[in-house]
Amino acid sequence: MKNFRFLLIPLILTISACGWFKKPPEIGRVLSEHFQNKMYKDFDTVAYDSVFVHVMDSLSRSFVNPKTIKAFYSNFNSQPKLVSKFYIDGSLDSLGYYLQNSTVHGFNPKLFKTEEIKSLIEELTANKFKKVDESYPVIAKLELLTANAYLNYTNYLRFGVVNPRNIFSRYYIKVKRPDSVGMMNLLASDNLLDTLRAVQPKSEQYKALQQAYLNASGEDEKRILLLNMERFRWKMPETGENYVQVNIPDFKLTWFDKQDTVISMKVCVGGKRETGYEDKMKAFAKSGNLDDKPKNHETPLLFSKINSIQANPIWNIPVSIAQSEIYWMARKDPYYLSNSNIKVYYKDKLIGEPDTINWNKYSRDKLPFKFKQGSGGGNALGKFKFIFDNSSSIYLHDTNNKNGFNLTNRAISHGCVRIEKPLEFAEKLVGDSYTYDKLRAEVDLPPIDSTHVKWYKKRMAAKADTTKSFQLKPAWFGPKKAVPLIITYITAWSQNDKIEYRPDVYGMDEKLWVAMKKFRL
């Protein structure tokens, strides 16, 4: 008898491996109970898997994230996880509702195959299959189209439909983008509705633009609103509640503390690149002639922290400016350099008399010199430079050309940002009266605190002493706390319960509009 039992064990294991005593898979059990149809208890996972692979191959070419979707279903042996979990409770219908109403975000519902998903749900709900294998292609297609639409919809709202770093050459803000781990977690979600609600943009700016978009009738206005809704969908670095923003189209610097404005002022930003820039760059690449090189002084978009202030700054003149401007001015006027307090260096050694340089000996594209403008009233950076880490040698600074702030279009600089009220800005940064009065003294301004008058007078006396040489040098000051700075580009936003619009000074709206073409209504 014992021997007979031992003979049965391998037989039972073989039968189990073949699936004879296997329970119906989750999808078969769910549909069988819901429709009270025993047919689904015969759901064959092997046969379904074959259909699923075929459907995956036919659809995945049009998916945005095919590798992630394939990896997810590979981990779950091709099981229709979304249909199993969210068909019966109506969550797939709710997803269809969100997709159909994606128009409130400016999306085209066709992006998500909305009608096809709806049709597949209706076909499954009709329960008219005569054999269980007739349901396999419907379930497989519904599963995969749902997965793709669900990921795309959530990603577009959480991160935006385009990556700005891919379309703008001077966009250096590291915006967060979807990653495979996050998307796998989305597909494994236990509550589809909670996720769909959670991804709706919470920003007050976004909601104000969205409301204006839904109320707008003119196509131009709707276009601008859509573009800036997209900008507010981008996952920007965390600035915290206290930060400085420079908005290029507004030509404005604003220091925010929560929702309040600490200080606001006009700025001048980099000039727009030359018309036909791309074509001219191609011509320059071929010729190598500097005369063919088009100008591009656009201020880059970036995120950093203001970490120091320099009073009486020295200007290290960039090579591009030396070639395009300084070289010609020095050739035209031999005293231009000394009159402008510009020092010339050859192999890092100061040239004592730059006025004697024979510029005809040097071509401007191979200048062996470096140029630095010393501290003082004529310095192009004015009396203050505000420094933050970035790869473009960009900073905020004062200017001795105050007339620029009276212009409507203030895109006139070489790329750095000139600020209208540098002293007030410096006061906010240093954050205490003692440091602020020391900073004021460096630029010959009397202290605010009367107890600091003594050392101010001492400094002024030293400067006035003709028996000793007084050389104006840069002085460094640290802010009380490094302040986040974002240089951004927004052409429409909400302010005081109305939408403000600004011109597309760099043509970035046009470029973004083209990139969004397939996503928009």
Side-chain angles (χ1 to χ4, degrees):
M1 192 68 176
K2 287 182 180 178
N3 290 337
F4 179 72
R5 284 202 300 269
F6 283 120
L7 288 171
L8 281 175
I9 290 172
L11 180 62
I12 292 169
L13 290 174
T14 303
I15 293 171
S16 297
C18 294
W20 282 32
F21 292 130
K22 253 186 173 180
K23 292 181 180 178
E26 184 182 13
I27 184 66
R29 179 184 58 77
V30 166
L31 296 180
S32 176
E33 291 175 1
H34 176 67
F35 291 118
Q36 296 183 348
N37 188 336
K38 294 180 180 180
M39 175 185 74
Y40 290 106
K41 289 185 177 181
D42 296 328
F43 199 99
D44 186 333
T45 54
V46 175
Y48 171 78
D49 184 68
S50 176
V51 172
F52 181 85
V53 169
H54 176 74
V55 174
M56 173 73 84
D57 288 343
S58 66
L59 294 178
S60 61
R61 293 185 220 99
S62 64
F63 288 174
V64 176
N65 298 286
K67 290 182 180 178
T68 301
I69 292 175
K70 285 180 179 179
F72 176 79
Y73 287 104
S74 176
N75 291 344
F76 289 98
N77 301 313
S78 304
Q79 295 178 56
K81 301 294 288 184
L82 299 181
V83 176
S84 298
K85 284 194 287 187
F86 304 123
Y87 168 67
I88 303 302
D89 69 4
S91 293
L92 292 191
D93 293 305
S94 296
L95 172 63
Y97 172 81
Y98 276 96
L99 299 179
Q100 192 64 53
N101 285 276
S102 63
T103 51
V104 301
H105 300 289
F107 301 149
N108 188 335
K110 291 180 181 179
L111 270 175
F112 309 107
K113 308 280 187 184
T114 306
E115 288 301 322
E116 197 167 351
I117 290 172
K118 181 182 176 183
S119 176
L120 288 165
I121 292 174
E122 290 173 351
E123 189 173 357
L124 185 58
T125 303
N127 190 31
K128 292 182 178 179
F129 307 113
K130 293 180 180 178
K131 296 179 181 178
V132 68
D133 57 2
E134 293 176 2
S135 70
Y136 298 164
V138 175
I139 293 170
K141 198 169 186 181
L142 175 59
E143 178 72 19
L144 289 169
L145 288 181
T146 295
N148 184 58
Y150 172 54
L151 283 186
N152 292 347
Y153 179 82
T154 52
N155 284 341
Y156 293 163
L157 287 183
R158 292 169 68 209
F159 303 102
V161 300
V162 299
N163 183 348
R165 290 166 66 88
N166 290 341
I167 61 174
F168 300 122
S169 60
R170 292 194 174 188
Y171 196 103
Y172 302 129
I173 303 171
K174 293 182 179 178
V175 293
K176 189 176 179 182
R177 299 297 299 162
D179 60 71
S180 57
V181 173
M183 288 188 281
M184 296 276 264
N185 289 336
L186 278 173
L187 291 173
S189 172
D190 287 326
N191 195 313
L192 204 67
L193 273 177
D194 281 354
T195 303
L196 292 169
R197 293 189 190 107
V199 298
Q200 301 305 311
K202 307 292 189 299
S203 158
E204 292 302 319
Q205 279 290 342
Y206 185 91
K207 289 191 281 188
L209 290 172
Q210 185 181 38
Q211 186 62 46
Y213 169 71
L214 296 172
N215 291 333
S217 56
E219 289 304 313
D220 287 344
E221 183 182 12
K222 291 171 77 172
R223 172 176 169 271
I224 295 169
L225 291 166
L226 277 182
L227 289 167
N228 288 282
M229 285 164 63
E230 169 67 2
R231 289 186 172 111
F232 281 104
R233 285 192 288 260
W234 293 337
K235 204 81 166 181
M236 308 297 273
E238 290 294 331
T239 59
E241 294 183 329
N242 194 292
Y243 66 97
V244 172
Q245 174 183 285
V246 172
N247 183 16
I248 290 172
D250 193 28
F251 304 118
K252 188 76 66 73
L253 177 150
T254 308
W255 187 325
F256 292 102
D257 184 4
K258 298 179 182 176
Q259 298 297 318
D260 297 327
T261 298
V262 175
I263 190 172
S264 180
M265 66 189 72
K266 296 176 182 178
V267 298
C268 297
V269 299
K272 184 180 179 180
R273 64 174 59 177
E274 283 186 28
T275 305
Y277 179 81
E278 285 80 7
D279 291 336
K280 290 178 181 178
M281 278 300 292
K282 290 176 184 176
F284 169 64
K286 288 181 179 179
S287 70
N289 188 336
L290 277 178
D291 291 329
D292 293 334
K293 188 176 182 180
K295 292 179 181 178
N296 181 9
H297 297 311
E298 292 181 359
T299 299
L301 277 64
L302 54 84
F303 173 76
S304 188
K305 289 187 177 181
I306 301 172
N307 51 47
S308 58
I309 306 164
Q310 191 180 50
N312 301 313
I314 288 174
W315 184 30
N316 296 304
I317 300 174
V319 173
S320 59
I321 297 177
Q323 291 175 334
S324 63
E325 297 179 27
I326 303 299
Y327 173 79
W328 295 117
M329 296 299 290
R331 286 192 61 165
K332 183 178 179 181
D333 177 3
Y335 302 107
Y336 166 76
L337 296 169
S338 55
N339 288 340
S340 303
N341 194 20
I342 295 176
K343 294 180 172 59
V344 184
Y345 296 80
Y346 177 75
K347 293 184 178 179
D348 295 326
K349 290 184 179 179
L350 179 66
I351 296 176
E353 297 183 12
D355 302 338
T356 63
I357 296 173
N358 182 1
W359 295 101
N360 292 322
K361 290 173 58 178
Y362 306 99
S363 62
R364 66 186 180 110
D365 58 336
K366 293 180 181 179
L367 280 178
F369 307 109
K370 292 181 180 178
F371 303 85
K372 295 184 179 183
Q373 187 175 42
S375 304
N379 190 286
L381 305 185
K383 296 179 179 180
F384 299 101
K385 180 166 76 169
F386 304 91
I387 300 165
F388 45 91
D389 294 335
N390 68 95
S391 59
S392 304
S393 300
I394 296 296
Y395 35 82
L396 309 181
H397 66 87
D398 181 21
T399 178
N400 47 43
N401 179 16
K402 304 294 184 182
N403 291 330
F405 297 112
N406 297 323
L407 300 174
T408 302
N409 183 340
R410 296 192 288 276
I412 57 173
S413 82
H414 287 96
C416 289
V417 179
R418 306 172 190 172
I419 66 174
E420 181 187 24
K421 305 171 185 175
L423 195 62
E424 290 180 39
F425 190 59
E427 181 182 13
K428 297 295 181 185
L429 282 170
V430 297
D432 70 84
S433 60
Y434 176 73
T435 307
Y436 178 56
D437 276 349
K438 287 185 69 176
L439 181 145
R440 287 174 61 88
E442 289 294 334
V443 294
D444 300 340
L445 291 173
I448 301 298
D449 188 334
S450 58
T451 62
H452 301 154
V453 170
K454 188 175 181 180
W455 49 258
Y456 168 72
K457 287 183 176 179
K458 187 177 179 180
R459 172 187 163 81
M460 296 306 291
K463 187 175 181 180
D465 189 349
T466 56
T467 64
K468 298 178 182 178
S469 61
F470 179 89
Q471 186 177 358
L472 194 62
K473 295 180 180 178
W476 294 83
F477 298 86
K480 190 171 185 179
K481 183 179 180 182
V483 178
L485 166 74
I486 187 162
I487 300 178
T488 188
Y489 195 97
I490 303 169
T491 53
W493 69 94
S494 175
Q495 184 174 315
N496 299 325
D497 298 324
K498 62 174 281 193
I499 302 297
E500 295 285 339
Y501 297 93
R502 293 296 183 272
D504 181 21
V505 62
Y506 286 170
M508 293 180 76
D509 276 4
E510 289 295 333
K511 210 162 190 176
L512 181 56
W513 188 244
V514 171
M516 290 176 63
K517 183 177 180 179
K518 69 178 181 180
F519 305 97
R520 64 185 195 237
L521 283 172

